[in-house]
Every structure is written in structure tokens, then in C-alpha cells.
Amino acid sequence: MAKKNVSVWTSIPFWRRSAAWVTGFAVILLIWLSFDTLGQISMGTDEDLKAGTTKRVPAPTVINYKITYEMNKQRGSEIPIIGGKDANGTSSFEEKELFFGKEWTEEEAADLLHLGKLTSQAKNCMNCHTLLGNGAYFAPDLTKSWLDPAWDTKGVMVSMISSMLPSKLVERIEAGKAVSDEDNQLIKDMKIDIANGKMLTKEEAMAIFLRFPSSYPTHERMMPELAITADEAKGLVAFLKHMSSIDTNGFPRNFSKSVDQFKVGGSNAR
Amino acid sequence: MFFEPFTDVIPSFFGWLNQGPLTLTIFLHTVIILPMFWIYKQEKANLNK
């Protein structure tokens, strides 16, 4: 057969078959990826934590553990270290710490985290903040906010909140407006703590800040008062602590770099 | 070392493919483009008939 001068590039069946192949392959690939992702993002259990099994998303009881964030050379990014580091530079799940003065059971921790998640949605945190890559950059990224040195035991935020009553609440009490017994108690306790020079814990300071952000102005863009209740604030702090323990492949990038910058006196607020 | 030990948290095929820069992209493009040569040759044969 003599070779005819034909062009495949103008052949409609060629393009039809190519398009069908690429589309079909992509569909199968995306379905496969969806199921593959389920394994990556499904939450671990309390047994995993006790057995020392690293999960990308640990169980809610991770709030009972000390969490740090360290560079892992092998992974090429920072990874959350839960309960102290072992010889391999990964989580040892040994060091615990009290959260709001107690150790939370599986059910309590799950309920608290659920309340925090619902509150974060109800108050629309993502309108200004970023959570796990979703949201805005009008306000600081909250993905690893629990690990922010400003909230360390002697960090600026904890020091400030430990030494200043929430002015909004004090104004309300002085104006004779009704406040809950819990809030009255909070002011009384804080006055005693301030007189004794006692520092709040990180979670207590965070909870007070979340309820009365405008009493502690730290930024040009001040966080608004969102009428968050004391319980909701606890839930939010648990939500933030849990989020910081999620392995995000090093997102947000260069978190520790900005921590170093912060420690030498630089500011992340621009 | 050409092959590095797997370092992702949860072992997965895509995690394994994605260990180096562009490895996943190069693999997927190769897998998608190669059968198109076969489609091309078949269509060429058809047109020649």
C-alpha cells in the first residue's frame, strides 16, 4: 500500500479518543485520591496516643499532652511533637500537661473540641484568620497559634493578661450591669492573682483574651468582641491546641523562622 | 542515594510518589501521555487504509 500524505492532527477521532482517555484517567485518579485522602485525614484514637502511634490528626485527648513544634531534617519541615521527643526526633507521647487544671477524659475532650469547632464556625473566625490553610490573612494564621511564643508562660500575651483585668468586664460590673456569677468570680480570682503576682496558664490567658479581646489591644487591627461565653472560650482554646498538633507537612511555612525573628525582638505584626 | 526511605506519616502510593520535587507531576504526565502515542499510531493506520 502506498503511503498517503495523511495528518492525524486534523483527525477528529484522534482528538475524541485522546480527550476520552485523559478525562477518564483523571476521573479514576481523582476518585482514587479522594479515598487515599480519607486515610490521611481520619482522626486517630486515644489508644493511638497511648500506644505511641503517630497520626496526622491525633485524637481529641491530645489536649492532655505537651505539644511542641520542631524541625525534622528527614521530612524537610517542622512537625508537631506530642508529649516530648524520642531518640528519632518524633513524638514520644510521654510528657503530659494539665489543660484548664485537669486531665480530660476521651468523652470530655471530644465534647470540648466539638464545642470549640462549632464556636469557631458560629463566630466566623475564618473571616479574618486562617485555619489549616482556609480563611483570610487579615488577622494572624491560627493553624499553629498554640505554639506562638507570645503565648508561652512568660510570653508577652500571658504576662499582659496576667497583670490586667479585662476592662470591658470591669466596666460592666462598675456600671451595675448584670454579669454571671462565673464572671464575678473571675474578676475576684484575677484580682487576688494580680496582687500575688501569679501568672495565668497559657490556656487561661487565651480564654480570657478570646472573651475580651478589645481589653488587650495588641495590634493595629483589633479583634472585635464576639460575645464568646466562658465555656465556648475553653472549647476554642482546645480547638486551637488540637489544631497545632495536626501534622500539616510544615504549613504554615517558616513558622519557626518567624519564631526566631520574634525571639530576637522582631515583630510579626506588620 | 537515589531511593530515599519513606518519610510521610501515613504510607500511601501518592505519598511515595510525591517524595521528590515534581516526581508526582512527571509520573502522571508520563502515564497520561504514553497511551496517546498508541492512539496516534492507531489513528494513523486507520487514515492510511
Side-chain angles (χ1 to χ4, degrees):
Chain A
M1 195 175 67
K3 269 213 162 177
K4 275 186 278 178
N5 193 15
V6 292
S7 168
V8 179
W9 303 115
T10 54
S11 144
I12 287 173
F14 167 71
W15 289 109
R16 190 160 40 211
R17 285 182 69 195
S18 298
W21 158 249
V22 172
T23 313
F25 185 83
V27 166
I28 290 163
L29 189 70
L30 285 176
I31 292 170
W32 184 9
L33 269 171
S34 302
F35 282 99
D36 187 71
T37 305
L38 287 179
Q40 301 280 339
I41 62 171
S42 55
M43 190 183 254
T45 59
D46 194 40
E47 280 69 46
D48 288 329
L49 286 175
K50 282 177 185 149
T53 310
T54 302
K55 287 282 182 154
R56 205 176 268 281
V57 184
T61 37
V62 78
I63 59 174
N64 294 322
Y65 290 82
K66 184 184 166 203
I67 299 165
T68 52
Y69 203 43
E70 291 182 39
M71 186 69 191
N72 184 302
K73 283 235 170 87
Q74 208 183 16
R75 290 280 302 280
S77 67
E78 294 125 321
I79 57 167
I81 300 289
I82 301 163
K85 209 161 52 164
D86 64 10
N88 301 324
T90 52
S91 307
S92 70
F93 302 96
E94 274 163 6
E95 250 178 282
K96 289 197 171 186
E97 64 184 15
L98 298 177
F99 189 69
F100 285 106
K102 68 172 204 173
E103 180 159 352
W104 296 69
T105 66
E106 249 180 287
E107 265 182 38
E108 286 172 338
D111 286 347
L112 188 69
L113 212 62
H114 187 59
L115 174 68
K117 190 180 106 176
L118 292 182
T119 310
S120 80
Q121 291 165 346
K123 303 297 177 185
N124 205 1
C125 301
M126 276 189 199
N127 210 21
C128 301
H129 295 280
T130 289
L131 314 175
L132 295 170
N134 302 306
Y137 279 102
F138 185 72
D141 192 319
L142 293 184
T143 311
K144 300 289 169 193
S145 58
W146 175 261
L147 306 162
D148 190 325
W151 292 98
D152 275 350
T153 323
K154 283 178 183 164
V156 285
M157 293 303 289
V158 175
S159 307
M160 175 169 65
I161 296 163
S162 298
S163 58
M164 271 168 71
L165 293 169
S167 53
K168 289 274 167 180
L169 186 56
V170 175
E171 280 165 26
R172 243 174 271 165
I173 291 170
E174 281 172 356
K177 284 182 191 160
V179 295
S180 66
D181 293 343
E182 210 180 357
D183 282 351
N184 262 320
Q185 193 60 45
L186 175 75
I187 293 294
K188 273 181 204 159
D189 290 347
M190 277 187 83
K191 275 180 181 164
I192 295 168
D193 286 350
I194 290 171
N196 294 331
K198 194 179 155 224
M199 295 282 274
L200 293 167
T201 62
K202 189 196 277 198
E203 59 269 24
E204 287 165 347
M206 275 189 171
I208 292 171
F209 177 82
L210 284 168
R211 296 190 58 207
F212 311 104
S214 64
S215 302
Y216 304 102
T218 50
H219 212 273
E220 277 178 59
R221 302 168 192 160
M222 197 164 60
M223 182 166 149
E225 303 264 340
L226 296 165
I228 294 168
T229 66
D231 282 342
E232 286 170 349
K234 269 191 187 180
L236 279 175
V237 178
F239 181 67
L240 291 175
K241 183 167 183 181
H242 177 262
M243 191 157 52
S244 76
S245 74
I246 296 175
D247 192 318
T248 53
N249 288 344
F251 174 87
R253 205 71 191 157
N254 291 331
F255 179 85
S256 294
K257 223 182 227 177
S258 56
V259 166
D260 289 340
Q261 177 198 1
F262 179 89
K263 279 182 179 158
V264 295
S267 167
N268 297 316
R270 281 169 206 269
Chain B
M1 211 169 25
F2 190 72
F3 290 102
E4 297 284 338
F6 187 82
T7 56
D8 213 343
V9 189
I10 315 276
S12 98
F13 175 66
F14 294 104
W16 173 74
L17 268 185
N18 208 13
Q19 294 291 305
L22 281 180
T23 44
L24 185 66
T25 311
I26 291 168
F27 172 78
L28 291 180
H29 278 78
T30 310
V31 162
I32 289 168
I33 300 296
L34 280 182
M36 286 177 67
F37 284 101
W38 179 57
I39 297 173
Y40 180 92
K41 278 184 180 151
Q42 276 194 333
E43 288 302 323
K44 184 121 186 162
N46 272 345
L47 287 172
N48 271 326
K49 258 188 218 167

